[in-house]
Amino acid sequence: MRTIERLPKRQRQQQLSRLIEDNPFMTDRELNRLLKVSIQTIRLDRLELGIPELRERVKLMAERSYDSVRSLPLHEVIGDIIDLQLDKSGISIFEIREEHVFSRTGIARGHHVFAQANSLAVAVINDEIALTASADIRFVRSVALGEKCIAKAYVSSISGGSSKAKVDVFTYVGEEMVFQGHFVIYRSAGDEKLEGGDEHADRN
Amino acid sequence: MRTIERLPKRQRQQQLSRLIEDNPFMTDRELNRLLKVSIQTIRLDRLELGIPELRERVKLMAERSYDSVRSLPLHEVIGDIIDLQLDKSGISIFEIREEHVFSRTGIARGHHVFAQANSLAVAVINDEIALTASADIRFVRSVALGEKCIAKAYVSSISGGSSKAKVDVFTYVGEEMVFQGHFVIYRSAGDEKLEGGDEHADRN
DNA sequence: CAGCTGTTATCACCTGGTACTAATTTAGTA
DNA sequence: TACTAAATTAGTACCAGGTGATAACAGCTG
């Protein structure tokens, strides 16, 4: 057996890779039944392909998700709030990373930029519960992978003791403005028919 | 030993919970050394507390992250597009789940609802690259955990052979409108200074 | 003292493997 | 055809990290 026609092995190994890729929870036993080869062959194949055993695969996945939970994009506030004067103004920083961009072009997806601004607008309102009621937004220029977005929020009006506040948010990359939004935020004071959006999250 | 002074057990179990909580990758062996009790006691404690063994914990984490990858909130299109007539209209469904709501109240965070609408507005535009330029949005009422958001997008105008399209999106839960947005989308045709937001994602 | 809780110790067993050795099958060529 | 080498299968010992059952012991308490 020199070189020709040893495809079946290659093919099987490709299949094996694919199977494990799209269901990493398969045991060797299940795989040997699916691929109609002995369990030893499966193990040899994994060895050659550098695919770790089930438990290691599962552990790796868990570790990855454990790490990423610590910096999860859509839980709590998007972006790090670095300055906050309640009912007045606030500043947050948000770095555009792999998971935020469209892979073909490296341009940030709009909702991330929006989410940073929205989070900040909500955080700056000094209330137990604050929800976005409406917003008028503009993406001035596209934001690329690796760029740091600095969002600055200014409360422009707070209606008396009651329910609405207006917040303007401007997001910059360096000197350039990339986004602007005018938000109307509902506050908890005196209304039960809350209107949407985001609640107040921790302010650390 | 009636009731008084059996605190050490309770305390130990609390500590155990805490330890496992903030490092789920600990074996019973490591825990027994840390807490200075036998490994059997650790196992009994886990049993009483309903804490599964290391491998189960790790597997659960992996499964959670695996599930959420399949329906990842901010990658690709948010929501399932169930109908699409390019340059005309589109419909998508998005179910509000645990990871989309503010845990204290079960109210959906605004950017998810926005993200669904934004994704759909972009998807409905028949162009290689489409980016959100601006939007005017309103959260009509808050959306709760478990509710299914049906977003309907209508292209209201496409400016000649050139760069802008207007898309109106209305999102409903049952009969009720919960969100409305008017989007201006930039299209790839004839402009390099693209303006932000979201690119065109797969349409399946 | 009996009885109870709590703790520790053993022992058999389980899953999903690794590591190694050996036999068997298959295919290709001298 | 016989030889050779790769590929596959089989079997064994061993491992981590457990479960489950059973037993023994300590210490207090009524």
Side-chain angles (χ1 to χ4, degrees):
Chain A
M1 192 184 240
R2 194 78 277 163
T3 38
I4 332 164
E5 258 298 69
R6 38 135 73 133
L7 291 171
K9 184 178 178 180
R10 293 279 166 92
Q11 277 182 1
R12 188 192 56 229
Q13 293 191 337
Q14 280 192 3
Q15 273 200 24
L16 185 70
S17 297
R18 241 199 34 242
L19 280 169
I20 291 178
E21 183 112 18
D22 62 53
N23 180 7
F25 298 95
M26 288 220 227
T27 64
D28 288 356
R29 178 141 258 108
E30 291 170 325
L31 290 164
N32 101 70
R33 282 198 275 259
L34 277 174
L35 295 180
K36 316 268 191 193
V37 289
S38 75
I39 205 167
Q40 288 79 358
T41 302
I42 298 292
R43 319 248 228 228
L44 286 171
D45 283 353
R46 275 200 299 99
L47 208 79
E48 286 182 31
L49 296 170
I51 298 173
E53 62 166 291
L54 168 62
R55 285 153 176 169
E56 288 305 310
R57 296 194 302 265
V58 166
K59 197 175 166 191
L60 276 172
M61 296 176 64
E63 276 167 348
R64 247 181 299 150
S65 86
Y66 190 61
D67 293 345
S68 71
V69 161
R70 324 229 117 193
S71 61
L72 201 61
L74 277 207
H75 290 72
E76 309 309 329
V77 173
I78 310 300
D80 299 319
I81 292 177
I82 55 173
D83 183 69
L84 196 67
Q85 295 184 283
L86 291 173
D87 288 341
K88 288 189 184 162
S89 66
I91 299 177
S92 84
I93 295 188
F94 179 52
E95 186 181 341
I96 302 298
R97 293 205 307 244
E98 279 292 345
E99 64 265 35
H100 309 122
V101 304
F102 199 86
S103 49
R104 267 187 293 168
T105 55
I107 294 179
R109 294 158 211 280
H111 26 277
H112 286 108
V113 176
F114 172 80
Q116 178 192 16
N118 184 53
S119 289
L120 184 60
V122 164
V124 82
I125 295 303
N126 183 18
D127 244 290
E128 272 294 287
I129 292 177
L131 299 169
T132 310
S134 64
D136 186 359
I137 61 178
R138 218 179 114 215
F139 295 94
V140 181
R141 82 146 167 85
S142 59
V143 182
L145 179 60
E147 291 187 320
K148 284 192 182 64
C149 295
I150 316 275
K152 300 184 181 181
Y154 307 95
V155 177
S156 64
S157 87
I158 293 195
S159 56
S162 81
S163 60
K164 279 184 190 173
K166 290 186 183 174
V167 183
D168 295 325
V169 181
F170 305 94
T171 304
Y172 301 85
V173 171
E175 303 286 279
E176 273 185 288
M177 184 188 293
V178 296
F179 170 92
Q180 64 182 69
H182 305 283
F183 292 83
V184 177
I185 308 290
Y186 267 94
R187 310 161 63 199
S188 57
D191 65 334
E192 54 265 321
K193 50 194 312 250
L194 298 165
E195 302 282 330
D198 208 330
E199 254 195 300
H200 221 152
D202 297 325
R203 296 156 178 156
N204 309 322
Chain B
M1 195 183 239
R2 190 80 276 162
T3 39
I4 333 163
E5 258 299 69
R6 38 136 74 136
L7 292 171
K9 185 178 178 180
R10 292 281 165 92
Q11 277 181 1
R12 187 191 56 229
Q13 293 191 338
Q14 281 193 1
Q15 272 199 26
L16 184 70
S17 296
R18 241 198 36 241
L19 280 169
I20 291 179
E21 182 114 17
D22 61 53
N23 181 7
F25 297 94
M26 288 220 228
T27 64
D28 289 356
R29 178 140 261 109
E30 290 169 326
L31 291 164
N32 101 73
R33 282 199 276 259
L34 277 174
L35 296 180
K36 316 268 191 193
V37 288
S38 75
I39 206 167
Q40 288 79 358
T41 301
I42 298 291
R43 319 247 227 229
L44 286 172
D45 283 353
R46 274 199 301 100
L47 208 78
E48 286 184 32
L49 296 170
I51 300 173
E53 63 166 291
L54 168 62
R55 285 153 176 166
E56 288 305 310
R57 295 194 302 266
V58 166
K59 198 176 166 190
L60 275 172
M61 297 177 63
E63 275 166 349
R64 247 181 299 149
S65 84
Y66 190 63
D67 291 347
S68 70
V69 162
R70 321 232 108 193
S71 60
L72 201 62
L74 281 205
H75 290 73
E76 307 311 327
V77 173
I78 310 301
D80 298 319
I81 292 177
I82 56 172
D83 182 69
L84 197 66
Q85 294 184 283
L86 291 173
D87 289 339
K88 287 189 184 160
S89 66
I91 299 177
S92 84
I93 295 189
F94 179 53
E95 186 182 341
I96 301 298
R97 292 208 307 246
E98 279 292 346
E99 64 265 37
H100 308 124
V101 305
F102 198 87
S103 48
R104 265 187 295 168
T105 55
I107 294 179
R109 295 159 211 280
H111 26 277
H112 287 108
V113 176
F114 172 80
Q116 178 192 16
N118 184 51
S119 290
L120 184 61
V122 164
V124 81
I125 295 303
N126 184 18
D127 244 290
E128 272 294 287
I129 292 176
L131 299 169
T132 310
S134 64
D136 186 359
I137 61 179
R138 217 179 114 215
F139 296 94
V140 181
R141 80 146 168 86
S142 59
V143 181
L145 178 60
E147 291 187 320
K148 283 192 182 63
C149 295
I150 316 273
K152 300 184 181 182
Y154 308 94
V155 177
S156 63
S157 87
I158 293 196
S159 56
S162 83
S163 59
K164 280 183 190 172
K166 291 185 183 173
V167 183
D168 295 325
V169 181
F170 304 94
T171 303
Y172 301 85
V173 171
E175 302 285 279
E176 273 186 289
M177 184 188 295
V178 297
F179 170 93
Q180 66 182 67
H182 305 282
F183 292 83
V184 177
I185 308 290
Y186 267 94
R187 310 161 62 199
S188 57
D191 65 335
E192 54 267 318
K193 51 194 314 255
L194 298 165
E195 302 283 331
D198 209 328
E199 255 195 302
H200 221 153
D202 297 325
R203 296 160 180 151
N204 310 322

